[in-house]
Amino acid sequence: GITKIKYLDEKIINDLTAYRKKVDPHGIMNPQKLTSKAILNKVFTPSFNLLELEARILKRGKLETLAHKIAYCLRCGKCKSDCCVFHPARNMFFHPRNKNLAIGSLIEAVLFEAQRYRSTTFGLLENLEEIADHCTICHKCLEPCPVDIDSGEITILERNILASRGIKRTPLATKMTLKYLSSKSKVLNNTAQKTILAPGSRIQNITSHAVRPLYNAHAPNGNYLANLLHSPLLPVSFKTLHDYLPGCNENQSLVFEGSAHPQKTYLYFPGCGSERMFPEISLAALYILLKNDARVILPPPYLCCGFPMSVNGKEELHSKIVLRNTIILSQIRDMFQHLEFDAVCISCGTCKEALEHMGIEEIFSTKIKDVVTVNQLKTKTHESVLYHQPCHDSLEENGPGLIREKTGNQVTSVPHCCSEAGTLSLSRPDISSAMRNKKEMAFRQAADIHNGKEKQLTLTNCPSCLQGLSRQNMNLKVEHLVVYLTKNIGGKGWKKELQQMLKQYDRVTF
Protein backbone atom coordinates (compact mmCIF):
# COMPACT_ATOMS: atom_id res chain seq x y z
CA GLY A 1 0.00 0.00 0.00
CA ILE A 2 2.95 2.35 0.53
CA THR A 3 3.49 2.77 -3.20
CA LYS A 4 -0.22 3.42 -3.84
CA ILE A 5 -1.36 5.66 -1.01
CA LYS A 6 0.11 8.86 -2.42
CA TYR A 7 -2.22 8.54 -5.42
CA LEU A 8 -5.41 8.20 -3.36
CA ASP A 9 -7.75 11.07 -2.45
CA GLU A 10 -8.22 11.77 1.26
CA LYS A 11 -11.96 11.00 0.91
CA ILE A 12 -11.22 7.50 -0.41
CA ILE A 13 -8.80 6.86 2.44
CA ASN A 14 -11.33 8.09 5.04
CA ASP A 15 -14.16 6.01 3.52
CA LEU A 16 -11.94 2.93 3.52
CA THR A 17 -10.92 3.53 7.13
CA ALA A 18 -14.57 3.87 8.22
CA TYR A 19 -15.53 0.67 6.38
CA ARG A 20 -12.65 -1.28 7.93
CA LYS A 21 -13.62 -0.15 11.43
CA LYS A 22 -17.06 -1.58 10.75
CA VAL A 23 -16.02 -4.99 9.36
CA ASP A 24 -12.72 -5.33 11.24
CA PRO A 25 -13.05 -3.34 14.49
CA HIS A 26 -9.93 -4.86 16.06
CA GLY A 27 -7.68 -4.15 13.05
CA ILE A 28 -6.64 -7.76 12.61
CA MET A 29 -6.41 -7.73 8.81
CA ASN A 30 -3.49 -5.67 7.44
CA PRO A 31 -3.34 -3.32 10.43
CA GLN A 32 -2.87 0.39 9.53
CA LYS A 33 -2.49 -0.35 5.83
CA LEU A 34 -3.74 2.54 3.63
CA THR A 35 -4.70 4.69 6.60
CA SER A 36 -2.39 7.73 6.51
CA LYS A 37 -0.08 9.33 3.97
CA ALA A 38 2.27 10.18 6.84
CA ILE A 39 3.44 6.57 6.70
CA LEU A 40 5.85 7.62 3.94
CA ASN A 41 7.82 9.64 6.50
CA LYS A 42 8.16 6.72 8.88
CA VAL A 43 9.35 3.88 6.68
CA PHE A 44 12.07 3.32 4.13
CA THR A 45 11.18 1.68 0.82
CA PRO A 46 13.56 1.87 -2.15
CA SER A 47 12.17 2.18 -5.63
CA PHE A 48 14.54 -0.43 -7.11
CA ASN A 49 14.69 1.76 -10.21
CA LEU A 50 18.47 1.85 -9.76
CA LEU A 51 18.54 5.65 -9.82
CA GLU A 52 20.95 8.12 -8.28
CA LEU A 53 22.12 7.29 -4.73
CA GLU A 54 20.42 3.88 -4.50
CA ALA A 55 22.08 2.80 -7.75
CA ARG A 56 25.48 3.86 -6.44
CA ILE A 57 25.00 1.97 -3.18
CA LEU A 58 23.84 -1.17 -4.97
CA LYS A 59 26.76 -0.99 -7.38
CA ARG A 60 29.25 -0.55 -4.54
CA GLY A 61 27.77 -3.55 -2.72
CA LYS A 62 27.72 -5.66 -5.93
CA LEU A 63 23.95 -5.92 -5.53
CA GLU A 64 22.88 -4.12 -8.71
CA THR A 65 22.62 -7.25 -10.85
CA LEU A 66 21.01 -9.24 -8.03
CA ALA A 67 18.34 -6.57 -7.50
CA HIS A 68 17.63 -6.51 -11.22
CA LYS A 69 17.27 -10.29 -11.51
CA ILE A 70 14.59 -10.55 -8.78
CA ALA A 71 12.80 -7.30 -9.66
CA TYR A 72 10.30 -8.96 -12.02
CA CYS A 73 9.19 -11.76 -9.68
CA LEU A 74 5.37 -11.88 -9.71
CA ARG A 75 5.16 -13.72 -6.37
CA CYS A 76 2.93 -16.30 -8.08
CA GLY A 77 4.55 -19.30 -6.39
CA LYS A 78 4.54 -21.55 -9.45
CA CYS A 79 8.14 -22.44 -8.57
CA LYS A 80 7.19 -24.08 -5.26
CA SER A 81 6.25 -27.56 -6.42
CA ASP A 82 9.40 -27.98 -8.53
CA CYS A 83 11.86 -26.69 -5.92
CA CYS A 84 14.14 -29.38 -4.44
CA VAL A 85 14.58 -27.66 -1.09
CA PHE A 86 10.92 -26.78 -0.48
CA HIS A 87 9.86 -29.36 2.08
CA PRO A 88 7.44 -28.09 4.76
CA ALA A 89 7.50 -31.47 6.50
CA ARG A 90 11.07 -30.69 7.57
CA ASN A 91 10.52 -26.96 8.07
CA MET A 92 12.10 -25.91 4.76
CA PHE A 93 10.30 -23.04 3.03
CA PHE A 94 13.13 -21.75 0.88
CA HIS A 95 11.46 -21.96 -2.54
CA PRO A 96 12.40 -19.26 -5.10
CA ARG A 97 9.43 -16.95 -4.44
CA ASN A 98 10.13 -16.79 -0.72
CA LYS A 99 13.84 -16.35 -1.39
CA ASN A 100 13.16 -13.47 -3.79
CA LEU A 101 11.07 -11.79 -1.10
CA ALA A 102 13.84 -12.32 1.44
CA ILE A 103 16.51 -11.00 -0.93
CA GLY A 104 14.40 -7.92 -1.63
CA SER A 105 13.98 -7.27 2.09
CA LEU A 106 17.69 -7.76 2.68
CA ILE A 107 18.60 -5.30 -0.09
CA GLU A 108 16.16 -2.80 1.43
CA ALA A 109 17.88 -3.26 4.78
CA VAL A 110 21.31 -2.71 3.23
CA LEU A 111 20.12 0.48 1.51
CA PHE A 112 18.47 1.70 4.71
CA GLU A 113 21.62 1.09 6.76
CA ALA A 114 23.85 2.75 4.17
CA GLN A 115 21.69 5.88 3.85
CA ARG A 116 20.55 6.38 7.43
CA TYR A 117 23.77 5.44 9.22
CA ARG A 118 26.32 6.17 6.46
CA SER A 119 27.52 2.56 6.87
CA THR A 120 29.72 1.12 4.11
CA THR A 121 30.47 -2.25 5.69
CA PHE A 122 27.44 -4.04 4.20
CA GLY A 123 27.61 -6.43 7.14
CA LEU A 124 23.96 -7.39 6.68
CA LEU A 125 24.96 -9.31 3.55
CA GLU A 126 26.12 -12.21 5.71
CA ASN A 127 22.42 -13.05 6.05
CA LEU A 128 22.39 -13.75 2.32
CA GLU A 129 24.28 -17.00 2.91
CA GLU A 130 21.34 -18.88 4.43
CA ILE A 131 19.27 -18.00 1.37
CA ALA A 132 22.05 -18.99 -1.03
CA ASP A 133 22.70 -22.31 0.73
CA HIS A 134 19.14 -23.49 0.16
CA CYS A 135 19.51 -24.21 -3.56
CA THR A 136 20.80 -27.17 -5.56
CA ILE A 137 21.28 -25.16 -8.81
CA CYS A 138 18.90 -27.55 -10.58
CA HIS A 139 17.19 -24.79 -12.62
CA LYS A 140 13.81 -26.55 -12.29
CA CYS A 141 12.22 -23.29 -11.21
CA LEU A 142 12.97 -21.66 -14.57
CA GLU A 143 10.43 -23.58 -16.66
CA PRO A 144 7.26 -22.75 -14.68
CA CYS A 145 8.31 -19.12 -14.04
CA PRO A 146 6.18 -16.77 -16.19
CA VAL A 147 8.96 -14.14 -16.22
CA ASP A 148 11.89 -16.57 -16.71
CA ILE A 149 13.70 -16.07 -13.41
CA ASP A 150 16.43 -18.68 -12.90
CA SER A 151 16.92 -19.08 -9.16
CA GLY A 152 19.98 -21.28 -9.75
CA GLU A 153 21.70 -18.47 -11.63
CA ILE A 154 20.73 -16.04 -8.87
CA THR A 155 22.15 -18.39 -6.23
CA ILE A 156 25.53 -18.58 -7.97
CA LEU A 157 25.54 -14.76 -8.10
CA GLU A 158 24.75 -14.62 -4.37
CA ARG A 159 27.59 -17.00 -3.55
CA ASN A 160 30.00 -14.99 -5.68
CA ILE A 161 28.96 -11.82 -3.81
CA LEU A 162 29.53 -13.55 -0.47
CA ALA A 163 32.89 -14.97 -1.59
CA SER A 164 34.08 -11.61 -2.92
CA ARG A 165 33.37 -10.01 0.47
CA GLY A 166 35.06 -12.85 2.34
CA ILE A 167 31.95 -13.86 4.26
CA LYS A 168 31.11 -17.14 2.53
CA ARG A 169 31.71 -20.08 4.82
CA THR A 170 33.14 -23.21 3.21
CA PRO A 171 33.62 -26.25 5.49
CA LEU A 172 37.01 -27.97 5.43
CA ALA A 173 35.56 -31.08 3.78
CA THR A 174 34.24 -28.98 0.88
CA LYS A 175 37.52 -27.07 0.55
CA MET A 176 39.48 -30.31 0.35
CA THR A 177 37.07 -31.74 -2.20
CA LEU A 178 37.32 -28.69 -4.46
CA LYS A 179 41.12 -28.74 -4.17
CA TYR A 180 41.14 -32.41 -5.13
CA LEU A 181 38.76 -31.98 -8.07
CA SER A 182 40.63 -28.99 -9.48
CA SER A 183 44.02 -30.73 -9.47
CA LYS A 184 45.47 -32.62 -12.43
CA SER A 185 48.45 -33.84 -10.41
CA LYS A 186 48.83 -37.61 -10.55
CA VAL A 187 50.61 -37.63 -7.18
CA LEU A 188 47.91 -35.61 -5.43
CA ASN A 189 45.07 -37.58 -7.01
CA ASN A 190 46.56 -40.98 -6.21
CA THR A 191 47.44 -39.92 -2.66
CA ALA A 192 44.02 -38.38 -1.98
CA GLN A 193 42.22 -41.35 -3.52
CA LYS A 194 44.05 -43.99 -1.51
CA THR A 195 44.54 -42.19 1.81
CA ILE A 196 41.52 -39.88 2.18
CA LEU A 197 38.57 -40.55 -0.15
CA ALA A 198 38.45 -44.34 -0.25
CA PRO A 199 39.33 -44.96 3.44
CA GLY A 200 37.31 -41.92 4.58
CA SER A 201 34.14 -43.09 2.84
CA ARG A 202 34.48 -46.50 4.46
CA ILE A 203 35.09 -45.01 7.92
CA GLN A 204 32.01 -42.79 7.50
CA ASN A 205 29.99 -45.80 6.36
CA ILE A 206 30.96 -47.88 9.40
CA THR A 207 30.55 -44.99 11.84
CA SER A 208 27.16 -44.05 10.41
CA HIS A 209 25.81 -47.55 10.99
CA ALA A 210 27.26 -47.56 14.51
CA VAL A 211 25.87 -44.21 15.70
CA ARG A 212 22.53 -44.35 13.90
CA PRO A 213 20.62 -45.82 16.89
CA LEU A 214 21.72 -42.87 19.03
CA TYR A 215 19.50 -40.30 17.32
CA ASN A 216 16.26 -39.95 15.41
CA ALA A 217 16.89 -41.73 12.13
CA HIS A 218 14.71 -39.37 10.12
CA ALA A 219 15.75 -35.92 11.27
CA PRO A 220 18.92 -35.47 13.31
CA ASN A 221 18.81 -31.99 14.80
CA GLY A 222 22.38 -32.06 16.04
CA ASN A 223 25.50 -30.33 14.81
CA TYR A 224 27.39 -30.55 11.53
CA LEU A 225 29.01 -33.88 12.38
CA ALA A 226 25.73 -35.47 13.47
CA ASN A 227 24.12 -34.56 10.16
CA LEU A 228 27.19 -35.69 8.22
CA LEU A 229 26.87 -39.13 9.80
CA HIS A 230 23.12 -39.29 9.27
CA SER A 231 23.38 -41.91 6.52
CA PRO A 232 26.22 -44.06 5.16
CA LEU A 233 28.26 -43.08 2.11
CA LEU A 234 28.77 -45.42 -0.81
CA PRO A 235 32.42 -46.52 -0.57
CA VAL A 236 34.64 -44.73 -3.09
CA SER A 237 36.98 -46.82 -5.23
CA PHE A 238 40.68 -47.03 -4.35
CA LYS A 239 41.42 -46.76 -8.08
CA THR A 240 40.59 -44.19 -10.76
CA LEU A 241 39.83 -44.83 -14.43
CA HIS A 242 43.43 -44.29 -15.47
CA ASP A 243 44.63 -47.05 -13.16
CA TYR A 244 42.96 -49.39 -15.67
CA LEU A 245 44.28 -47.64 -18.80
CA PRO A 246 47.67 -47.31 -20.49
CA GLY A 247 49.87 -44.50 -19.15
CA CYS A 248 48.99 -41.02 -20.35
CA ASN A 249 50.50 -37.60 -19.63
CA GLU A 250 48.66 -34.29 -19.32
CA ASN A 251 49.46 -33.43 -22.96
CA GLN A 252 48.35 -36.75 -24.40
CA SER A 253 45.12 -38.40 -25.52
CA LEU A 254 44.34 -42.09 -25.66
CA VAL A 255 42.58 -43.45 -28.74
CA PHE A 256 40.71 -46.76 -28.69
CA GLU A 257 38.91 -48.42 -31.60
CA GLY A 258 36.14 -50.97 -31.34
CA SER A 259 37.03 -52.52 -34.70
CA ALA A 260 39.49 -52.22 -37.55
CA HIS A 261 37.11 -49.86 -39.34
CA PRO A 262 35.15 -47.89 -36.72
CA GLN A 263 31.90 -46.32 -37.91
CA LYS A 264 31.71 -43.46 -35.41
CA THR A 265 34.13 -41.15 -33.61
CA TYR A 266 33.40 -39.93 -30.08
CA LEU A 267 35.25 -37.82 -27.55
CA TYR A 268 34.37 -39.22 -24.13
CA PHE A 269 34.64 -36.77 -21.22
CA PRO A 270 34.39 -38.91 -18.05
CA GLY A 271 34.11 -36.14 -15.44
CA CYS A 272 35.18 -36.40 -11.80
CA GLY A 273 32.39 -38.69 -10.60
CA SER A 274 32.81 -41.29 -13.34
CA GLU A 275 36.60 -41.05 -13.58
CA ARG A 276 37.74 -40.79 -9.96
CA MET A 277 34.99 -41.66 -7.47
CA PHE A 278 33.24 -44.49 -9.33
CA PRO A 279 35.52 -45.55 -12.25
CA GLU A 280 33.28 -48.51 -13.01
CA ILE A 281 30.94 -46.01 -14.68
CA SER A 282 33.56 -44.73 -17.12
CA LEU A 283 34.84 -48.27 -17.77
CA ALA A 284 31.27 -49.32 -18.62
CA ALA A 285 30.90 -46.27 -20.86
CA LEU A 286 34.07 -47.21 -22.76
CA TYR A 287 32.80 -50.78 -23.12
CA ILE A 288 29.48 -49.66 -24.59
CA LEU A 289 31.08 -47.18 -27.00
CA LEU A 290 33.63 -49.72 -28.25
CA LYS A 291 30.99 -52.46 -28.57
CA ASN A 292 29.05 -50.02 -30.75
CA ASP A 293 31.96 -50.14 -33.23
CA ALA A 294 33.23 -46.66 -32.41
CA ARG A 295 36.52 -44.84 -32.14
CA VAL A 296 36.83 -43.31 -28.66
CA ILE A 297 39.20 -40.45 -27.84
CA LEU A 298 39.91 -39.74 -24.19
CA PRO A 299 41.27 -36.39 -22.95
CA PRO A 300 44.18 -36.33 -20.45
CA PRO A 301 43.54 -37.59 -16.92
CA TYR A 302 41.75 -35.71 -14.15
CA LEU A 303 39.86 -33.02 -16.05
CA CYS A 304 37.01 -31.50 -14.05
CA CYS A 305 34.17 -29.72 -15.86
CA GLY A 306 34.38 -26.89 -13.29
CA PHE A 307 30.74 -26.98 -12.18
CA PRO A 308 31.51 -27.67 -8.47
CA MET A 309 33.73 -24.59 -8.34
CA SER A 310 31.14 -22.38 -10.00
CA VAL A 311 28.31 -23.30 -7.63
CA ASN A 312 30.55 -22.85 -4.58
CA GLY A 313 31.30 -19.24 -5.46
CA LYS A 314 34.89 -19.97 -6.53
CA GLU A 315 34.61 -17.72 -9.56
CA GLU A 316 38.34 -17.28 -10.21
CA LEU A 317 39.09 -21.00 -9.86
CA HIS A 318 36.15 -21.87 -12.10
CA SER A 319 37.34 -19.41 -14.75
CA LYS A 320 40.83 -20.92 -14.60
CA ILE A 321 39.51 -24.47 -15.07
CA VAL A 322 37.25 -23.46 -17.96
CA LEU A 323 40.16 -21.76 -19.71
CA ARG A 324 42.42 -24.77 -19.11
CA ASN A 325 39.83 -27.19 -20.46
CA THR A 326 39.08 -24.99 -23.46
CA ILE A 327 42.76 -24.90 -24.41
CA ILE A 328 43.23 -28.67 -23.99
CA LEU A 329 40.06 -29.65 -25.85
CA SER A 330 40.73 -27.17 -28.67
CA GLN A 331 44.22 -28.63 -29.12
CA ILE A 332 42.77 -32.14 -29.19
CA ARG A 333 40.31 -31.06 -31.87
CA ASP A 334 43.14 -29.55 -33.93
CA MET A 335 45.19 -32.72 -33.59
CA PHE A 336 42.28 -34.81 -34.92
CA GLN A 337 41.06 -32.31 -37.49
CA HIS A 338 41.06 -35.09 -40.13
CA LEU A 339 38.21 -36.77 -38.20
CA GLU A 340 34.57 -35.82 -37.97
CA PHE A 341 33.27 -36.21 -34.44
CA ASP A 342 29.80 -37.72 -34.14
CA ALA A 343 29.31 -36.59 -30.53
CA VAL A 344 30.99 -35.56 -27.30
CA CYS A 345 29.87 -38.31 -24.92
CA ILE A 346 29.35 -37.98 -21.18
CA SER A 347 27.96 -40.12 -18.34
CA CYS A 348 27.01 -37.22 -16.05
CA GLY A 349 24.37 -34.54 -16.59
CA THR A 350 26.28 -31.94 -14.58
CA CYS A 351 29.23 -32.32 -16.95
CA LYS A 352 26.84 -31.88 -19.87
CA GLU A 353 25.61 -28.54 -18.54
CA ALA A 354 29.12 -27.32 -17.76
CA LEU A 355 30.52 -28.36 -21.15
CA GLU A 356 27.63 -26.65 -22.93
CA HIS A 357 28.46 -23.41 -21.13
CA MET A 358 32.12 -23.97 -21.98
CA GLY A 359 31.23 -24.07 -25.70
CA ILE A 360 32.51 -27.58 -26.41
CA GLU A 361 29.79 -28.14 -29.02
CA GLU A 362 31.25 -25.30 -31.08
CA ILE A 363 34.80 -26.63 -30.63
CA PHE A 364 33.94 -30.12 -31.91
CA SER A 365 31.08 -29.07 -34.23
CA THR A 366 28.79 -31.68 -32.71
CA LYS A 367 26.31 -32.27 -29.88
CA ILE A 368 26.95 -33.46 -26.33
CA LYS A 369 25.20 -36.79 -25.78
CA ASP A 370 24.86 -39.26 -22.96
CA VAL A 371 26.54 -42.62 -23.65
CA VAL A 372 23.14 -44.31 -23.25
CA THR A 373 21.63 -42.34 -26.13
CA VAL A 374 24.34 -43.38 -28.65
CA ASN A 375 24.17 -47.04 -27.64
CA GLN A 376 22.45 -49.13 -30.33
CA LEU A 377 22.72 -52.47 -28.51
CA LYS A 378 19.61 -53.83 -26.82
CA THR A 379 19.11 -56.49 -24.19
CA LYS A 380 15.74 -57.76 -23.04
CA THR A 381 15.82 -58.21 -19.28
CA HIS A 382 12.12 -57.50 -18.58
CA GLU A 383 12.68 -56.49 -14.96
CA SER A 384 10.67 -54.17 -12.77
CA VAL A 385 12.92 -51.22 -11.86
CA LEU A 386 12.68 -47.81 -10.24
CA TYR A 387 14.22 -44.80 -11.96
CA HIS A 388 15.56 -41.59 -10.47
CA GLN A 389 15.81 -38.64 -12.86
CA PRO A 390 18.79 -36.43 -11.93
CA CYS A 391 18.29 -32.71 -11.54
CA HIS A 392 20.89 -32.25 -14.29
CA ASP A 393 19.43 -34.80 -16.67
CA SER A 394 21.63 -35.75 -19.62
CA LEU A 395 18.81 -37.96 -20.97
CA GLU A 396 16.53 -34.92 -21.32
CA GLU A 397 13.69 -36.41 -19.25
CA ASN A 398 13.52 -39.51 -21.48
CA GLY A 399 15.25 -41.93 -19.11
CA PRO A 400 12.25 -44.23 -18.56
CA GLY A 401 11.56 -44.38 -22.31
CA LEU A 402 15.16 -45.29 -23.13
CA ILE A 403 15.21 -47.99 -20.45
CA ARG A 404 12.01 -49.52 -21.81
CA GLU A 405 13.35 -49.33 -25.37
CA LYS A 406 16.73 -50.93 -24.66
CA THR A 407 15.74 -53.48 -21.99
CA GLY A 408 12.00 -54.03 -22.09
CA ASN A 409 11.87 -53.24 -18.37
CA GLN A 410 8.87 -51.96 -16.49
CA VAL A 411 9.95 -48.57 -15.13
CA THR A 412 8.52 -46.56 -12.25
CA SER A 413 9.86 -43.02 -11.87
CA VAL A 414 10.48 -41.70 -8.36
CA PRO A 415 10.34 -37.87 -8.15
CA HIS A 416 12.41 -35.32 -6.21
CA CYS A 417 16.12 -34.68 -5.69
CA CYS A 418 18.38 -37.46 -4.42
CA SER A 419 19.62 -34.98 -1.75
CA GLU A 420 23.34 -35.32 -2.54
CA ALA A 421 23.43 -32.24 -4.80
CA GLY A 422 27.17 -32.44 -5.37
CA THR A 423 29.04 -30.79 -2.51
CA LEU A 424 25.82 -29.65 -0.75
CA SER A 425 25.85 -32.83 1.34
CA LEU A 426 29.31 -31.83 2.62
CA SER A 427 28.68 -28.10 2.99
CA ARG A 428 25.18 -28.28 4.50
CA PRO A 429 24.41 -31.85 5.61
CA ASP A 430 21.43 -30.51 7.59
CA ILE A 431 19.75 -29.37 4.38
CA SER A 432 20.75 -32.59 2.62
CA SER A 433 19.28 -34.71 5.42
CA ALA A 434 15.94 -32.91 5.22
CA MET A 435 15.87 -33.35 1.45
CA ARG A 436 16.65 -37.04 1.86
CA ASN A 437 13.48 -37.41 3.90
CA LYS A 438 11.50 -35.94 1.00
CA LYS A 439 13.01 -38.51 -1.36
CA GLU A 440 12.35 -41.33 1.10
CA MET A 441 8.65 -40.42 1.19
CA ALA A 442 8.58 -40.53 -2.62
CA PHE A 443 10.20 -43.98 -2.63
CA ARG A 444 7.61 -45.31 -0.19
CA GLN A 445 4.81 -43.98 -2.35
CA ALA A 446 6.35 -45.46 -5.51
CA ALA A 447 6.78 -49.03 -4.31
CA ASP A 448 6.55 -51.22 -1.24
CA ILE A 449 10.30 -51.60 -0.81
CA HIS A 450 10.71 -51.30 2.94
CA ASN A 451 9.48 -54.80 3.71
CA GLY A 452 10.61 -56.46 0.49
CA LYS A 453 12.79 -59.56 0.74
CA GLU A 454 15.00 -58.51 -2.18
CA LYS A 455 16.53 -55.11 -2.77
CA GLN A 456 14.62 -52.99 -5.26
CA LEU A 457 16.78 -52.18 -8.28
CA THR A 458 16.96 -48.40 -8.76
CA LEU A 459 18.62 -46.90 -11.83
CA THR A 460 19.95 -43.41 -12.43
CA ASN A 461 22.37 -41.76 -14.84
CA CYS A 462 24.41 -39.49 -12.56
CA PRO A 463 27.42 -40.39 -10.35
CA SER A 464 26.42 -37.91 -7.64
CA CYS A 465 22.86 -39.28 -7.60
CA LEU A 466 24.35 -42.76 -7.25
CA GLN A 467 25.89 -41.56 -3.99
CA GLY A 468 22.74 -39.75 -2.87
CA LEU A 469 20.39 -42.66 -3.53
CA SER A 470 22.75 -45.11 -1.85
CA ARG A 471 22.43 -43.05 1.34
CA GLN A 472 18.73 -43.85 1.56
CA ASN A 473 18.22 -46.13 4.55
CA MET A 474 15.97 -48.37 2.51
CA ASN A 475 16.05 -51.72 0.74
CA LEU A 476 17.53 -50.39 -2.50
CA LYS A 477 20.13 -51.63 -4.96
CA VAL A 478 21.28 -48.51 -6.80
CA GLU A 479 23.12 -48.73 -10.11
CA HIS A 480 24.22 -46.30 -12.80
CA LEU A 481 22.32 -46.91 -16.01
CA VAL A 482 25.50 -47.27 -18.09
CA VAL A 483 26.83 -49.98 -15.73
CA TYR A 484 23.46 -51.75 -15.74
CA LEU A 485 23.33 -51.87 -19.55
CA THR A 486 26.95 -53.01 -19.75
CA LYS A 487 26.38 -55.89 -17.36
CA ASN A 488 23.42 -57.06 -19.42
CA ILE A 489 25.20 -56.63 -22.76
CA GLY A 490 28.56 -58.15 -21.78
CA GLY A 491 27.60 -60.45 -18.95
CA LYS A 492 29.76 -61.15 -15.91
CA GLY A 493 32.95 -61.16 -17.97
CA TRP A 494 32.56 -57.68 -19.45
CA LYS A 495 35.55 -56.26 -17.57
CA LYS A 496 37.88 -58.99 -18.87
CA GLU A 497 36.58 -58.40 -22.38
CA LEU A 498 37.18 -54.66 -21.97
CA GLN A 499 40.77 -55.27 -20.82
CA GLN A 500 41.46 -57.05 -24.11
CA MET A 501 39.82 -54.25 -26.09
CA LEU A 502 41.91 -51.60 -24.29
CA LYS A 503 45.19 -53.28 -25.25
CA GLN A 504 44.82 -51.90 -28.77
CA TYR A 505 45.35 -48.18 -28.46
CA ASP A 506 47.22 -45.14 -29.70
CA ARG A 507 48.78 -42.50 -27.50
CA VAL A 508 48.66 -39.13 -29.24
CA THR A 509 50.63 -36.10 -28.05
CA PHE A 510 49.06 -32.73 -28.77
Side-chain angles (χ1 to χ4, degrees), residues 196-219:
I196 300 176
L197 283 180
S201 63
R202 286 161 175 78
I203 292 172
Q204 192 277 349
N205 188 292
I206 295 170
T207 307
S208 176
H209 282 103
V211 303
R212 184 167 178 75
L214 301 179
Y215 56 75
N216 186 326
H218 296 292

Side-chain angles (χ1 to χ4, degrees), residues 417-429:
C417 177
C418 70
S419 80
E420 191 70 10
T423 57
L424 176 69
S425 59
L426 289 175
S427 300
R428 290 296 302 267

Side-chain angles (χ1 to χ4, degrees), residues 283-291 486 489-490 494 497-498 501:
L283 289 171
L286 284 173
Y287 180 87
I288 283 183
L289 293 175
L290 294 174
K291 289 291 283 187
T486 298
I489 292 170
W494 72 270
E497 184 182 355
L498 177 61
M501 296 164 72

Side-chain angles (χ1 to χ4, degrees), residues 302-315:
Y302 313 127
L303 292 188
C304 176
C305 69
F307 192 89
M309 295 74 191
S310 173
V311 299
N312 276 283
K314 309 297 182 183
E315 192 173 15

Side-chain angles (χ1 to χ4, degrees), residues 1-275:
I2 292 172
T3 58
K4 304 176 182 68
I5 194 168
K6 61 183 178 182
Y7 299 106
L8 299 179
D9 293 334
E10 289 290 344
K11 184 178 183 308
I12 294 176
I13 295 175
N14 293 334
D15 289 346
L16 178 60
T17 301
Y19 174 75
R20 289 172 64 184
K21 286 182 178 179
K22 180 180 178 181
V23 299
D24 184 20
H26 300 292
I28 295 174
M29 186 176 68
N30 292 327
Q32 297 189 13
K33 184 174 182 179
L34 291 174
T35 56
S36 171
K37 290 185 179 182
I39 192 70
L40 294 171
N41 300 321
K42 299 179 180 179
V43 299
F44 179 88
T45 306
S47 64
F48 272 38
N49 288 330
L50 308 183
L51 299 174
E52 300 178 355
L53 180 58
E54 289 177 8
R56 298 188 184 204
I57 296 171
L58 291 177
K59 190 171 184 179
R60 177 66 181 83
K62 297 188 176 181
L63 296 172
E64 185 176 14
T65 304
L66 182 59
H68 178 74
K69 285 184 178 295
I70 66 166
Y72 300 102
C73 180
L74 302 177
R75 322 295 196 234
C76 65
K78 291 182 179 179
C79 51
K80 290 171 66 175
S81 59
D82 293 304
C83 182
C84 297
V85 296
F86 178 60
H87 187 35
R90 286 295 177 266
N91 201 32
M92 289 207 302
F93 297 92
F94 286 81
H95 58 78
R97 184 193 70 181
N98 282 357
K99 290 194 289 186
N100 289 343
L101 288 167
I103 293 168
S105 298
L106 187 56
I107 292 175
E108 286 189 19
V110 168
L111 290 172
F112 178 87
E113 183 185 49
Q115 294 191 49
R116 293 297 171 90
Y117 302 107
R118 275 75 62 188
S119 172
T120 58
T121 61
F122 298 99
L124 290 171
L125 286 180
E126 66 182 17
N127 297 287
L128 190 64
E129 186 167 37
E130 188 69 9
I131 301 171
D133 282 350
H134 282 81
C135 182
T136 65
I137 326 293
C138 67
H139 309 291
K140 290 180 180 179
C141 55
L142 178 59
E143 186 175 349
C145 181
V147 289
D148 298 328
I149 295 177
D150 186 345
S151 191
E153 184 180 293
I154 291 172
T155 297
I156 293 176
L157 175 60
E158 292 167 351
R159 293 175 183 177
N160 285 333
I161 291 172
L162 291 165
S164 68
R165 304 195 68 83
I167 53 177
K168 186 183 186 306
R169 290 169 292 183
T170 305
L172 179 61
T174 305
K175 288 181 180 178
M176 293 176 64
T177 300
L178 296 179
K179 175 67 176 176
Y180 165 70
L181 296 181
S182 63
S183 174
K184 286 171 61 221
S185 167
K186 289 184 179 180
V187 175
L188 189 147
N189 272 274
N190 286 331
T191 302
Q193 195 83 18
K194 293 176 172 58
T195 64
I196 300 176
L197 283 180
S201 63
R202 286 161 175 78
I203 292 172
Q204 192 277 349
N205 188 292
I206 295 170
T207 307
S208 176
H209 282 103
V211 303
R212 184 167 178 75
L214 301 179
Y215 56 75
N216 186 326
H218 296 292
N221 295 316
N223 57 18
Y224 175 86
L225 183 61
N227 280 287
L228 198 63
L229 295 173
H230 173 242
S231 53
L233 287 170
L234 186 67
V236 174
S237 173
F238 277 93
K239 294 183 177 181
T240 68
L241 167 64
H242 284 271
D243 288 322
Y244 299 92
L245 302 179
C248 178
N249 294 326
E250 61 180 21
N251 65 331
Q252 293 177 325
S253 289
L254 292 176
V255 183
F256 303 97
E257 295 185 350
S259 68
H261 303 285
Q263 301 300 309
K264 302 278 188 179
T265 299
Y266 300 120
L267 175 85
Y268 173 52
F269 188 94
C272 303
S274 299
E275 180 181 7

Side-chain angles (χ1 to χ4, degrees), residues 54 62 88 103 172 175 320 328 406 410 456 461 465:
E54 289 177 8
K62 297 188 176 181
I103 293 168
L172 179 61
K175 288 181 180 178
K320 178 182 176 181
I328 291 173
K406 298 184 185 299
Q410 180 182 345
Q456 177 65 57
N461 54 298
C465 292

